[in-house]
Amino acid sequence: MKPLRILWSCFLAITIFMVGMQPAQAFCGFYVAKADTNLYNQASQVIISRDGERTVLTMANDYQGEVKDFALVVPVPVILKEEQVHVGNPKILSRLDSFSAPRLVEYFDSNPCEIRAFDEDIMFKTAPQAASMESGLRQERSLGVTIEEQFTVGEYDILILSAKESDGLETWLTHNGYKIPPGAKEILQPYIRQNMKFFVAKVNLTEYDQQGFKKLRPISIAYESPKYMLPIRLGMVNAKQEQDLIVYLLSPQGQTELTNYRTVKVPSDRDIPEFVKAEFKNFYTSMFQKSYERENKQVAFLEYAWDMGSCDPCSAEPLNREELKQAGVFWLNSSSRNLRSPRNNVFITRLHVRYTGDKFPEDLKFQATGNRQLFQGRYVIRHPYTGEMNCSAANEYKRSVRDRQEREVQTLASLTGWNINDIRNKVEFVESQPIPWWRTLWNQ
Amino acid sequence: MKDIYTLARSPKILDDARIYQILFLSFFLCLGIGTRDWTLRPDLIAVVIVSCLLVQWCLSALVEYAKKKNDHICLTNNTQLSIENIFNPKVISSLQSALITALGLCLLLRGNNYTTMAIASCLAIASKFLFRFHNKHFFNPANFGIISALILTNDAWVSPGQWGTNWWYLLLFAGMGGIVLKKVGRWDTSVAFLLSYASLEAMRNFWLGWGWEVWQHQFMSGSLLLFALFMLTDPRSIPNATISRLIWAVSIAVVTFILQDYFYLSTAIFWALFVISPLTILFDRAWSAPRFTWKRMLVVRD
């Protein structure tokens, strides 16, 4: 028998079950093998553009298994019609990612023997990764489950289900080829009781083959609801490991924060040794893990908060109007009645949430705030001047560089938890000759 | 032998619960800035404190002046009267309350601009003088300031998640809150609020099918405890009689629950307190009890 395979993943921290027709033991195991190819092994990416109660939610998709096995189930606050669902361009997520990613900046020291030289800024960026999904299902009605809407958008066949009881929904999904992991029933129940609907998507193979895309594209949904939340509990049903979620929150006002968890800034603006340039991703993941543990694993990290009209320094070009529209920004150029919200303004907040079932017992709840303080994860490398130096200031300069290098080593050790001696071995310390103590006494 | 009935024991400074409140709130503010990664700006804190104190000083001096003018209608030396009022001990002592309001605003309200913080501070203090019934103000000043800023400006916000859910902070709030509440004798209000809100949420969680860990997470919120212990129990503005305080606290819990879970308002507790506050007048009419004063003047017999 062809084994049934289900991916119940957490794609959108939102509960997304990856469901399929194959062996059941693979729940959430799909991402495990990717640990060495991606920065985070179970990362999901979501864009939420919201102004007032109007919301556009985009779920990224880096599912790499058989497309016929892909299925996804997401609780949504309202019934969605065909025109409210859109299949977008996957590039938009990588654009947002590179625009907002934590960045490494390098500066070159000038020759201390020259009066003036110019600093040069070069930037590198890290690129945390996206998520995925998959599907397969047949339709059937029974057990208190109602198919509210049914349509095909792009390569996806989509159903909007409402249910009266989780037993009925579970049976319905099972009958229709969705293998639901044990424990899902208890998690589904609260969503049903809150009168939420279920967005169920699978890939329409005919459409998929015709369109010739290699990868599944992100799905965007547009709706109006006072609920500003992201359901993450379904995605945790079978996941024992920590999962990474990166949420890009776009608002006309300012920063968006969580209301039921703390939002904490990642350490930023730190000087670190030169060798980190070659292993920046490694540095960032270690530093993130250390910060995550220091905060007792129960906070969301702010990685970037900026007005999207500019950036300084830029790790990527700011998004143009068309790209912002693709990201779900709908308020540009609109003549809104709400005079309080400044038009033509997009503020991005990038939150990085690493969650487990025990530390994040509730779904994520957000609120938009008027906070326009800018923040970026930024790490600085300062290259010492290595050319010839023929002046009395040179020795003094070398000593200051050596002190600086030592400070950088200590900063790196405390940020990442790496062994300080290993770090010292990797640093090329500047040779400096000790200055005789009497020289400073008589100004020789 | 000392004269009977007339000797009032001069109040010791530590008899005044406001001193404890000022110390504890300042401590929380330092703790928040030092350990909780808040985006608090020192200049905005200064604006809040200065505007609260100034408005309090001006308005209470004005009130004292008006009172005395009524008492000595024929008195002609107005200049002397006004200077006396500015440094009247009653006026100076009222600055402590203004400082408590200012610290409450600094802890809870966030904004980008000076004007936002100044509007919140001025209206918070002014509400004490404007909304009075039988010489008692019925809005909690800091709460009034927060709601005014949320309504009137577009850059004010409150961060309910700012304290997180650490046991350590909860114990600290509970301990310090307990000391203040014991001093002012209003612990019943906090307990009634917390119990009724907790029961409502527990029932909802049970009905939804969520586990206890969700309920526990909701109640370990430092912001909720701080609100229940330090804002809800302002003895000057809440009902005087115990029974009315209990009903009042339960009503706030019910309104908070509805606004939070059915209208998805993240600032539900502040709105609930704001909406229920005017009912203090009705409660005080229905159940009368002596009004609270900060300093108890004890009559001594010898």
Side-chain angles (χ1 to χ4, degrees):
Chain A
M1 190 185 86
K2 203 173 180 187
L4 277 173
R5 183 175 181 189
I6 296 181
L7 281 170
W8 172 297
S9 175
C10 357
F11 167 98
L12 178 174
I14 273 196
T15 313
I16 286 174
F17 319 8
M18 310 287 226
V19 186
M21 318 261 181
Q22 289 180 35
Q25 61 266 39
F27 286 145
C28 250
F30 178 74
Y31 288 103
V32 178
K34 302 200 306 177
D36 50 359
T37 52
N38 281 344
L39 188 47
Y40 310 112
N41 56 355
Q42 293 200 348
S44 313
Q45 286 187 94
V46 180
I47 310 172
I48 308 178
S49 301
R50 184 169 162 110
D51 182 17
E53 293 188 354
R54 295 179 181 180
T55 311
V56 178
L57 174 72
T58 303
M59 301 168 261
N61 193 351
D62 75 346
Y63 178 72
Q64 290 173 9
E66 290 282 316
V67 284
K68 67 182 169 51
D69 297 335
F70 171 85
L72 118 101
V73 181
V74 188
V76 287
V78 289
I79 294 173
L80 300 167
K81 299 203 178 306
E82 182 173 356
E83 59 185 15
Q84 288 172 269
V85 181
H86 174 75
V87 176
N89 187 342
K91 275 187 188 158
I92 191 62
L93 280 135
S94 53
R95 281 286 284 128
L96 274 176
D97 184 12
S98 48
F99 178 74
S100 62
R103 58 212 64 200
L104 182 66
V105 186
E106 61 181 348
Y107 294 95
F108 293 87
D109 283 357
S110 54
N111 184 348
C113 300
E114 280 175 17
I115 297 164
R116 174 142 172 74
F118 293 98
D119 284 351
E120 193 178 348
D121 291 7
I122 302 179
M123 243 159 319
F124 300 90
K125 55 189 188 286
T126 167
Q129 300 302 317
S132 79
M133 48 185 174
E134 116 152 23
S135 118
L137 83 114
R138 276 168 244 138
Q139 66 221 44
E140 190 180 300
R141 181 185 297 201
S142 67
L143 305 156
V145 176
T146 313
I147 301 174
E148 301 283 357
E149 294 287 337
Q150 183 173 16
F151 45 84
T152 302
V153 177
E155 64 268 39
Y156 299 102
D157 281 337
I158 290 157
L159 293 174
I160 308 293
L161 302 178
S162 67
K164 291 200 171 79
E165 286 300 328
S166 57
D167 289 351
L169 181 62
E170 190 187 30
T171 315
W172 191 95
L173 287 168
T174 313
H175 282 177
N176 286 277
Y178 290 84
K179 180 85 174 162
I180 302 299
K185 201 175 80 180
E186 286 73 30
I187 304 283
L188 287 170
Q189 184 69 13
Y191 294 114
I192 297 172
R193 290 265 162 97
Q194 288 177 86
N195 205 21
M196 290 181 82
K197 312 298 171 200
F198 295 88
F199 178 96
V200 182
K202 67 166 184 169
V203 174
N204 181 318
L205 291 171
T206 324
E207 290 286 334
Y208 179 77
D209 292 339
Q210 275 177 8
Q211 296 191 1
F213 292 112
K214 284 189 184 151
K215 277 180 145 189
L216 291 169
R217 294 177 294 167
I219 303 177
S220 301
I221 54 176
Y223 58 88
E224 257 184 87
S225 166
K227 274 188 190 173
Y228 194 3
M229 51 88 82
L230 200 55
I232 56 173
R233 286 167 61 81
L234 267 179
M236 294 184 213
V237 173
N238 243 17
K240 297 277 182 287
Q241 297 138 302
E242 292 154 356
Q243 296 174 59
D244 280 285
L245 164 71
I246 291 169
V247 198
Y248 308 98
L249 299 135
L250 306 177
S251 153
Q253 275 183 290
Q255 277 187 33
T256 302
E257 62 181 26
L258 284 170
T259 59
N260 54 347
Y261 297 95
R262 275 176 67 211
T263 309
V264 174
K265 290 175 183 143
V266 288
S268 179
D269 283 330
R270 305 290 171 88
D271 286 7
I272 48 177
E274 286 176 281
F275 77 87
V276 175
K277 181 177 169 183
E279 44 190 284
F280 182 56
K281 286 186 179 181
N282 196 5
F283 156 77
Y284 190 76
T285 43
S286 302
M287 192 209 67
F288 189 86
Q289 180 64 22
K290 188 92 201 304
S291 312
Y292 169 68
E293 285 163 8
R294 195 177 48 237
E295 295 293 351
N296 204 18
K297 305 187 176 186
Q298 52 187 9
V299 304
F301 285 95
L302 179 70
E303 288 185 326
Y304 195 68
W306 216 271
D307 190 311
M308 291 201 72
S310 67
C311 45
D312 178 27
C314 294
S315 64
E317 276 295 295
L319 277 70
N320 61 33
R321 221 157 243 266
E322 188 48 40
E323 286 173 318
L324 286 172
K325 247 171 105 178
Q326 284 177 24
V329 174
F330 53 86
W331 54 84
L332 294 178
N333 273 344
S334 69
S335 52
S336 167
R337 279 163 295 167
N338 181 4
L339 295 174
R340 283 174 56 182
S341 94
R343 296 295 98 198
N344 295 332
N345 209 338
V346 186
F347 199 97
I348 183 172
T349 306
R350 173 186 170 124
L351 292 183
H352 185 163
V353 188
R354 180 166 289 176
Y355 62 93
T356 51
D358 57 334
K359 297 289 183 182
F360 280 78
E362 272 192 283
D363 287 328
L364 305 179
K365 291 183 192 164
F366 302 97
Q367 71 170 2
T369 73
N371 186 359
R372 297 192 66 83
Q373 281 189 33
L374 306 177
F375 174 79
Q376 56 184 344
R378 176 175 172 272
Y379 310 91
V380 184
I381 283 181
R382 297 184 192 280
H383 297 283
Y385 181 78
T386 48
E388 205 170 306
M389 291 174 271
N390 297 316
C391 65
S392 58
N395 221 357
E396 183 59 29
Y397 166 75
K398 283 180 183 168
R399 271 201 326 139
S400 73
V401 168
R402 211 186 152 86
D403 291 349
R404 184 176 83 196
Q405 285 176 317
E406 180 54 31
R407 281 198 303 277
E408 289 168 353
V409 166
Q410 285 171 9
T411 307
L412 184 62
S414 79
L415 283 179
T416 56
W418 290 347
N419 184 311
I420 197 157
N421 291 324
D422 294 347
I423 299 174
R424 281 209 184 92
N425 289 339
K426 287 186 180 179
V427 173
E428 290 176 21
F429 283 101
V430 167
E431 297 282 327
S432 75
Q433 287 166 353
I435 301 171
W437 60 270
W438 54 85
R439 190 170 294 171
T440 48
L441 179 64
W442 289 310
N443 270 341
Q444 285 180 7
Chain B
M1 195 167 91
K2 286 182 185 167
D3 199 10
I4 51 170
Y5 299 122
T6 50
L7 181 65
R9 194 180 71 182
S10 64
K12 284 184 206 156
I13 192 157
L14 289 182
D15 274 352
D16 193 337
R18 285 180 295 185
I19 296 294
Y20 288 91
Q21 213 159 351
I22 290 171
L23 286 176
F24 295 162
L25 292 178
S26 317
F27 174 63
F28 296 155
L29 195 60
C30 297
L31 196 71
I33 296 168
T35 66
R36 298 275 89 167
D37 193 48
W38 290 352
T39 47
L40 265 184
R41 282 162 43 189
D43 50 341
L44 293 182
I45 294 180
V47 167
V48 170
I49 293 177
V50 169
S51 22
C52 278
L53 293 179
L54 266 182
V55 175
Q56 175 76 38
W57 202 343
C58 295
L59 291 181
S60 49
L62 205 69
V63 167
E64 284 303 312
Y65 174 72
K67 263 190 207 163
K68 286 209 176 135
K69 205 169 177 191
N70 277 349
D71 293 346
H72 316 289
I73 200 87
C74 349
L75 202 71
T76 47
N77 193 350
N78 278 351
T79 330
Q80 192 193 346
L81 204 60
S82 46
I83 290 171
E84 262 175 32
N85 293 328
I86 290 174
F87 298 104
N88 184 323
K90 232 174 155 184
V91 173
I92 301 292
S93 150
S94 75
L95 292 181
Q96 290 180 42
S97 304
L99 190 57
I100 293 174
T101 304
L103 290 168
L105 284 173
C106 293
L107 277 169
L108 295 163
L109 186 66
R110 300 282 177 275
N112 289 330
N113 303 317
Y114 295 137
T115 44
T116 306
M117 300 315 263
I119 286 173
S121 314
C122 296
L123 291 179
I125 301 295
S127 77
K128 292 205 283 187
F129 296 87
L130 290 175
F131 301 100
R132 298 179 80 87
F133 186 77
H134 282 315
N135 217 18
K136 171 180 177 176
H137 60 268
F138 48 83
F139 279 115
N140 176 299
N143 184 249
F144 190 88
I146 289 172
I147 296 291
S148 318
L150 290 178
I151 296 174
L152 300 174
T153 69
N154 54 16
D155 68 319
W157 76 97
V158 172
S159 296
Q162 66 180 0
W163 284 105
T165 50
N166 270 4
W167 279 110
W168 194 85
Y169 286 90
L170 299 189
L171 287 176
L172 193 74
F173 295 154
M176 294 189 163
I179 294 173
V180 172
L181 293 182
K182 192 165 177 294
K183 284 261 160 207
V184 299
R186 294 294 182 263
W187 60 270
D188 46 13
T189 317
S190 290
V191 171
F193 170 79
L194 286 173
L195 277 182
S196 42
Y197 185 57
S199 325
L200 287 169
E201 286 292 356
M203 283 191 279
R204 178 169 180 268
N205 278 12
F206 180 73
W207 177 72
L208 286 178
W210 274 340
W212 282 105
E213 68 281 3
V214 178
W215 183 82
Q216 195 190 341
H217 182 257
Q218 286 166 340
F219 277 85
M220 280 174 67
S221 159
S223 306
L224 178 73
L225 203 62
L226 203 64
F227 171 84
L229 297 173
F230 286 90
M231 180 173 267
L232 196 66
T233 51
D234 169 21
R236 296 280 284 172
S237 62
I238 68 178
N240 297 329
T242 311
I243 177 77
S244 49
R245 282 204 302 273
L246 295 179
I247 302 173
W248 186 80
V250 173
S251 330
I252 292 176
V254 172
V255 176
T256 304
F257 173 74
I258 294 170
L259 292 179
Q260 174 112 2
D261 292 326
Y262 296 93
F263 293 89
Y264 313 104
L265 217 60
S266 57
T267 44
I269 39 179
F270 301 103
W271 284 99
L273 177 58
F274 181 75
V275 171
I276 299 291
S277 286
L279 298 185
T280 302
I281 301 169
L282 298 180
F283 283 123
D284 279 346
R285 280 200 152 187
W287 292 279
S288 64
R291 271 192 62 200
F292 179 87
T293 50
W294 285 111
K295 290 175 185 170
R296 270 168 292 175
M297 305 292 276
L298 300 178
V299 177
V300 185
R301 279 168 195 260
D302 205 349

